[in-house]
Each structure stands twice: as C-alpha cells, then as structure tokens.
Amino acid sequence: MKIKFLWLLKSILILSLAGAPAFFANVHLLNAASSIEELKSKIDEKNKQKTEIEKEIAEYEQKAIEAGKSAKTLQGAINTLNLAKKKIETDIRATENRIGITNLSIEKLEIETKNTQNKINTDTKAISSAFRKINLAESSSLIEILLTYDNVSVLWDEVETLLRFQIGLKKNIDELKVLKSELRATKAEKEKNKKELLVIKSELKDQNELIEYNKNEKNQLLAATKNSESNYKKILAGKRVLSEAFEKELLEFESQLKIAIDPKSIPSAGSGILKWPLDKILVTQYFGKTDFAMKTNAYNGKGHNGVDFQAAPGTRVKAALDGAVIGTGDTDKVCKGASFGKWVLVRHSNGLSTLYAHLSLIRVAEGQMVKTGDIIGYSGNTGYSTGPHLHFTVYATQGVQIMDRQSAVCGGIYHMPIADLRAYLNPMLYL
C-alpha cells in the first residue's frame, strides 16, 4: 500500500511539474491571448491606413513641388501655400496614425510582459517545489530506500519515474531561461517604443506649428500684394535685386577673409562620410558654377556654395552626422528674401560643418548636441528661394564663423555663417 501511494505521489508530482502549471497558466492567460489578438488586428488596420496616408502624402508632395516651380505668379504662390497646407495636414494624420500604432504596440507589449512574468512565476514555484521534494528524497539513506521496497521491480519502476521527473524538471528550467530572455527583449522593445512615442508627439507639435506658419505666410502674401498680380511681380523683382546686392556685399567681405585652414583638418573625400539630410533625395542644383548660377548671376560669379535638394514644405530635415548646433538664425529678419532665411549650422568632430537653409521651422537650439538622423528642422521657402527646397552647405570647420555684421544693403545687422571662400566644400564629395 505504501509503495503504491509513493508511486502515485511521484506520478502526480511529475504531472504537476510537466503539465499542471502550464495548464493553469494557459487558463489564466486565455483572456490575455485574446486581447493580444485584438490588438494585433487593430495594429494591422492602422498599418493599412498608414499605407494609404503615405500615398496621399506623396501625391501632395509632388503637387506642392510642381506648384513651387510656377510660384512666379501670385496664383502660383497661393497654390503652393494651399498645397503645402494640405500636405502638412496629411502629415498630421500620418503622425496621429503612428501615435496610434505605437500606443497599441506598447499596450500589446505590456500584456505580453505580464503574460511572460506570470509564466516565469509559475515555473519558478514549480521548480522550487520540485527541488524541495528532491532534497527530502535524498535525505533518506540507500538502506532505508531498499528496505522500503518488497520487490526489486517496483524499485526500478520508482527509479524510472524519478528519471522522468528529473527530465521534466530540466525541461522546465530550460523553458524558464527562454522566458527570461524573451522578457528582457520585450521590456527593451517597450522602452524603445515609449522613447519613439515622445519623438512622434514632438513631431505632431511641430506640424501644428507649421500649419499656423503656413496660414500666416498666406495672410502676409495677400496683405503685401493686395491680391494683385502686378504688385506680386514688383515684390519678386525687389527680392531679386536685394538678393544680388546682398550676395555681392557678402562676397566682397568673404573674399577678404584670410582664415588659416589646415588641409589635414579636413577628411579625405569619400562616400558616406555624411548622411543624406532628407529621406528622399533629388538634387535640383549642384555645387559650383552651375547653369543657374552662371545664367542668373545669382551668386555674383562665385558659383553655388552648396547643394539644393527638392523638398516639399514641411519635409523633415535631418542632421547629416553627430555634432553640436553652433548657431541658428533667420536672415529674413534683416534682409527678407535675400539670403538663407531660416538656417541651422552644425559642427562635427571630423573637421566638417554643415548648414541647412531655407527652413520653415527650426527644431534645435544653439549648444544642443544632435545625432545622425535627428530632425533639426523642416524644409520651406524662406530667404531667397525660387521655390520650396533645402539648401545644404558643407564647410571646413576652421574656415567658417557665425558673425553679426552691419549690412549697407539691408540697413541692419545680419546674423549668419560667413566663411573664407576656401572653406566651401563640395557636399557631393562626402555624401
């Protein structure tokens, strides 16, 4: 009777270790699994919406860029602003969609974390109980164990049962290790999603500011032109004259600069030293003596000092490399429509500095450290620009300084990067 009882007890123990905890855990987590499936379904639906919104954004981007090319008329300028507004409104919908997806993902990960933690707790208790029973069994001497059994075959059955029990125990320990590894990965992914959520919410705030900026630009345009095409033509002509005069004044000053630049401080040219500042790349004007520079004399003979990229208004502009923001500004405050407009200058540790100009919104501040790919602002049409785009300049760091200078042309003090002409480098050699 005692032998049968012991055998039954050990059999129940094996079953409890190998099957029961998992059974009860599965019952307990049934609702959680159902919730996870519901969340997955919602995430899938949001991702479908995301694809549709992205198609819509691409259409508005193209329309805004095409309209920007015809902004030499008042109606063209108004159309550009209207399309920019629609594009940014669609950006906001896309960002809200991303927030929804990220929130659902975090909720799903929280359920999975709790689910995995419950499994770990269940298995830990089962394993602890098993070790206590093994310790009790091992406290009996071999003689005591042998005297307990009347039949050797029964003893062997008990040994076989114990071996099966130990195999089940090892399996549970191995599963526990896997669960703990999964838990660490899930927690790390959840933290990553939470950080991403903060970035996305910040972008949403930026996009709402861009809508307000767009509205103000349209109101100012209509007020300045009084909705008259001839008035708009006069404004454009005035900007062109002011820009050429300002460029000439700046060129004369920069030509006189004699800043020591050690060639060894500049990295050797090579693809990938800098990352592209936009997600989608289309160069509209290269560095140096381009056709536009020569035909229009837009840069007073010195050539284009950077690269222009096609960018619809409100497009994210990203840091080309880790670095420190050493200055931001807006030349329109002194010389409206004459130069960079809203700009950001970032100094990198490799001897290069990068400038991002004609922005509609600046997101960073002087002294701030940025990582490659961080959003530093949004593209626009500020300064002297024939249409929405990003102007990107690369300098030898030693040869560029941010200065405050009195302008005879503009009648005020402008604040902007000024460089020895030898400090201007061809960005395409480093991208």
Side-chain angles (χ1 to χ4, degrees), residues 6 10 130-146 148 162 166:
L6 287 171
K10 288 187 178 181
F131 274 115
R132 283 196 298 273
K133 294 184 186 322
I134 289 172
N135 287 335
L136 285 173
E138 287 180 347
S139 65
S140 301
S141 67
L142 180 60
I143 297 298
E144 287 174 328
I145 293 171
L146 290 171
T148 303
L162 184 59
Q166 289 173 331

Side-chain angles (χ1 to χ4, degrees), residues 226-241:
K226 296 179 181 178
N227 211 18
S228 164
E229 185 67 40
S230 61
N231 286 342
Y232 183 66
K233 293 289 186 185
K234 289 177 184 176
I235 290 171
L236 284 184
K239 279 187 177 181
R240 185 163 56 252
V241 170

Side-chain angles (χ1 to χ4, degrees), residues 213-406:
Y213 170 80
N214 175 275
K215 179 182 175 182
N216 292 336
E217 282 289 290
K218 185 176 178 180
N219 289 340
Q220 288 174 19
L221 176 64
L222 292 173
T225 60
K226 296 179 181 178
N227 211 18
S228 164
E229 185 67 40
S230 61
N231 286 342
Y232 183 66
K233 293 289 186 185
K234 289 177 184 176
I235 290 171
L236 284 184
K239 279 187 177 181
R240 185 163 56 252
V241 170
L242 181 65
S243 174
E244 289 177 0
F246 181 76
E247 283 291 331
K248 183 178 180 181
E249 179 183 59
L250 182 62
L251 175 59
E252 288 174 356
F253 178 71
E254 288 188 326
S255 299
Q256 295 169 14
L257 291 176
K258 301 298 177 185
I259 303 173
I261 303 173
D262 180 4
K264 293 180 181 177
S265 71
I266 305 169
S268 300
S271 176
I273 291 174
L274 297 173
K275 301 300 180 185
W276 298 100
L278 300 171
D279 289 331
K280 296 178 182 177
I281 297 299
L282 178 62
V283 177
T284 54
Q285 187 178 186
Y286 285 93
F287 177 82
K289 295 186 177 181
T290 62
D291 286 345
F292 179 80
M294 296 302 100
K295 287 177 182 176
T296 63
N297 198 36
Y299 313 105
N300 285 280
K302 72 174 182 179
H304 190 220
N305 63 17
V307 172
D308 288 344
F309 297 107
Q310 178 176 286
T315 301
R316 299 175 189 89
V317 176
K318 301 181 177 182
L321 192 65
D322 293 0
V325 178
I326 61 169
T328 67
D330 184 359
T331 60
D332 280 351
K333 290 179 179 179
V334 176
C335 276
K336 187 167 178 62
S339 187
F340 288 144
K342 291 181 181 177
W343 58 267
V344 173
L345 183 65
V346 179
R347 178 181 292 159
H348 310 291
S349 61
N350 63 354
L352 300 179
S353 291
T354 51
L355 173 79
Y356 313 79
H358 305 310
L359 305 176
S360 57
L361 179 65
I362 296 171
R363 189 178 176 184
V364 292
E366 184 177 337
Q368 182 177 335
M369 301 302 295
V370 294
K371 292 287 187 184
T372 305
D374 282 354
I375 297 173
I376 59 171
Y378 296 83
S379 64
N381 197 26
T382 57
Y384 183 67
S385 170
T386 56
H389 71 282
L390 172 67
H391 174 86
F392 181 71
T393 294
V394 176
Y395 301 99
T397 294
Q398 289 182 344
V400 61
Q401 299 174 10
I402 295 173
M403 295 185 186
D404 292 327
R405 289 198 77 250
Q406 180 73 42

